[in-house]
Amino acid sequence: MSGPNRMTRRDFIKITTGAIGGVIAAGIGLPAIGYLLAPALRQDKAGKPVIVAKLAEIPVGKPYPFSFTVTRVNGWERTANVFGGFVIRLSEDPQDVRILSSRCTHLSCRVNWSDEAQGFICPCHDALFDRDGKVVSGPPPEALGHFDYEIDDQGNVVILPVERKTE
Amino acid sequence: MRNAWQTLFAWLDERLGLHSLYQNLLDRPEPRGNWWNTLGSASLFLFLLQVATGIFLTVYYNPSPDHAYDSIQYIMNEVAFGWLIRGIHHWGASLMVLVVFIHMLRTFVTASYKYPRELTWLVGVGLLLLTLGMGFTGYLLPWHQMAYWATTVGTQIAGSVPFVGEFILKALRGGPDLSALTLQRFFAAHIWILPALMFALIGLHLYLVIKHGESHFPDKDD
Ligand code: HEM
Ligand code: FES
């Protein structure tokens, strides 16, 4: 009945069943992967610029702390995250300003300015950063991040709420 | 010459008994091919499909009165293929009840419930009730108006049993009213308790089917 290359009825059924099963599995499996990864593939929207201080009220030389809240929609809920930083006026020149993030580059605790140490101290693992945000001692791998900013017509310091690496 | 796959298969087969598993589980004799005999396997497939899509739904679904509805809106509108996963689970539920029911009718019509398959039938009755229980508990989870009132009515009916009615109603609702507790315990029943029982009973059911073989169709002598 069957030559060496003829497919038996059984083999045909097996192969067809396997093939249809494979198509069904792929038809559900591939969308399922997209379904699981959907939140990771979403594009984050850049936040709106935030006014953090009036330049005139900031003394030259002493870091001026500020904080702001960014609310994002995650799934069916709004999540508010508080970010903070320091405006540092290096001289009377209104353009001579640096804005550091207060997020420690080690494990994200908040650093505080210390007059005594003339630097930023992290309470979590005792790190010390200098006035420019460079690491003086402790475990952090890199300098404090900074924010891009501009001074608007009313003399407000306006930042883009995206922390950037400081080289 | 054996290729690497055959060598690997032979190695595994010697230790796991794959070939005899295949022969005993899948290569069983059937009484003259009959499409009605596929309904049990169709029920099994639908059950596994519900398990898979259900697990995926729990990745985003949140069983609390504050978020249940919103989380389902999120699945439907924001998550990639969320509509597909939920759609399959939603329609699969109704289809499964239908298929399980017709499967029962077929074993009734072919008198397959007789000796020695009485227990297969009894376990089957348990499976039908569990399937309906899955439908009942799952229906509340979206926590929209229809779900809320359907469960209000459903638990009220269960509460109309003489003497113990009020106790049953409170046990189902987790208190006198439909509340967060109701949603939470329906969720627990829907994803843990009932499926665990179904896995156990399906295992027993299949064991019995394989042990006794398929019943032959009644002929003139029966
Ligand atoms: C989740 C639900 C169920 C699943 C997954 C399931 C699965 C199966 C499978 C795979 C078979 C063998 C193939 C077949 O004969 O169709 C079978 C046979 C059988 N089932 Fe079910 N079943 C379910 C519900 C029920 C119900 C509700 C009843 C009756 C109350 C029932 C009674 C039987 C009987 C008596 C047999 C033996 C049939 C024979 O030997 O000819 N099953 N079941
Ligand atoms: S988190 Fe700041 S030093 Fe560890």
Side-chain angles (χ1 to χ4, degrees):
Chain A
M1 180 198 90
S2 56
N5 292 325
R6 287 278 303 274
M7 194 187 268
T8 64
R9 197 180 153 110
R10 264 173 182 252
D11 284 341
F12 175 75
I13 299 278
K14 273 187 206 165
I15 290 171
T16 319
T17 311
I20 294 175
V23 169
I24 294 176
I28 298 173
L30 295 179
I33 294 172
Y35 175 90
L36 281 184
L37 298 182
L41 300 176
R42 228 176 54 141
Q43 212 66 45
D44 288 339
K45 288 193 202 79
K48 292 194 190 74
V50 195
I51 298 176
V52 295
K54 267 213 175 311
L55 194 65
E57 289 165 9
I58 301 175
V60 175
K62 186 174 159 65
Y64 175 91
F66 64 87
S67 67
F68 61 94
T69 309
V70 174
T71 311
R72 269 202 291 225
V73 179
N74 281 310
W76 53 91
E77 264 200 326
R78 301 178 152 275
T79 311
N81 283 312
V82 179
F83 297 87
F86 299 89
V87 182
I88 305 156
R89 293 189 68 177
L90 302 169
S91 69
E92 288 293 341
D93 178 359
Q95 294 308 318
D96 200 8
V97 169
R98 172 179 296 129
I99 302 186
L100 293 179
S101 163
S102 61
R103 194 182 63 82
C104 178
T105 53
H106 180 221
L107 296 171
S108 299
C109 290
R110 289 274 212 103
V111 301
N112 302 308
W113 171 255
S114 156
D115 278 331
E116 209 177 305
Q118 281 297 304
F120 299 97
I121 291 181
C122 179
C124 292
H125 311 99
D126 259 346
L128 177 65
F129 299 86
D130 70 14
R131 165 185 301 271
D132 302 326
K134 300 237 158 49
V135 184
V136 177
S137 65
E142 57 190 46
L144 293 174
H146 68 271
F147 294 106
D148 288 341
Y149 71 96
E150 62 181 43
I151 312 290
D152 71 8
D153 304 337
Q154 285 93 49
N156 294 315
V157 182
V158 184
I159 65 164
L160 278 178
V162 183
E163 191 187 309
R164 321 214 17 195
K165 277 193 176 210
T166 305
E167 221 10 272
Chain B
M1 262 292 281
R2 286 162 133 208
N3 62 34
W5 287 117
Q6 282 167 327
T7 316
L8 178 67
F9 181 80
W11 191 91
L12 288 173
D13 186 29
E14 218 180 324
R15 286 152 185 86
L16 293 171
L18 295 176
H19 193 69
S20 60
L21 260 187
Y22 172 78
Q23 270 184 332
N24 290 322
L25 295 183
L26 294 175
D27 210 1
R28 291 172 285 122
E30 283 284 318
R32 293 260 347 248
N34 182 318
W35 283 102
W36 295 104
N37 283 36
T38 59
L39 288 170
S41 304
S43 308
L44 181 63
F45 173 77
L46 287 171
F47 174 70
L48 295 177
L49 192 64
Q50 293 300 97
V51 170
T53 49
I55 289 174
F56 277 103
L57 287 176
T58 65
V59 173
Y60 297 106
Y61 174 74
N62 182 304
S64 83
D66 288 347
H67 300 307
Y69 183 77
D70 290 341
S71 64
I72 287 188
Q73 289 304 305
Y74 180 69
I75 292 172
M76 292 302 280
N77 301 324
E78 309 277 331
V79 181
F81 298 108
W83 57 273
L84 181 65
I85 305 278
R86 174 156 184 246
I88 293 175
H89 200 76
H90 181 96
W91 294 104
S94 304
L95 189 62
M96 182 170 166
V97 172
L98 192 70
V99 170
V100 169
F101 195 77
I102 304 177
H103 167 64
M104 178 179 77
L105 285 185
R106 141 18 221 162
T107 59
F108 178 75
V109 169
T110 58
S112 310
Y113 52 83
K114 291 183 180 174
Y115 173 84
R117 298 188 181 78
E118 300 95 324
L119 288 180
T120 320
W121 173 269
L122 281 180
V123 172
V125 172
L127 283 170
L128 178 67
L129 293 178
L130 286 169
T131 307
L132 296 175
M134 289 297 280
F136 182 59
T137 51
Y139 203 88
L140 176 65
L141 301 184
W143 201 251
H144 47 40
Q145 288 291 319
M146 213 163 61
Y148 185 90
W149 293 109
T151 307
T152 305
V153 173
T155 48
Q156 198 76 55
I157 292 172
S160 64
V161 177
F163 306 116
V164 289
E166 200 188 321
F167 169 75
I168 297 179
L169 180 126
K170 281 189 178 174
L172 284 174
R173 289 185 180 175
D177 304 309
L178 226 66
S179 66
L181 288 181
T182 321
L183 182 56
Q184 193 71 40
R185 63 210 281 116
F186 270 49
F187 181 67
H190 189 76
I191 74 161
W192 296 121
I193 304 168
L194 299 180
L197 291 173
M198 288 185 88
F199 268 111
L201 289 197
I202 288 176
L204 190 54
H205 199 69
L206 294 184
Y207 165 75
L208 290 169
V209 168
I210 290 168
K211 173 165 174 58
H212 295 300
E214 293 269 329
S215 61
H216 72 86
F217 273 56
D219 51 29
K220 282 199 186 113
D221 300 333
D222 287 318

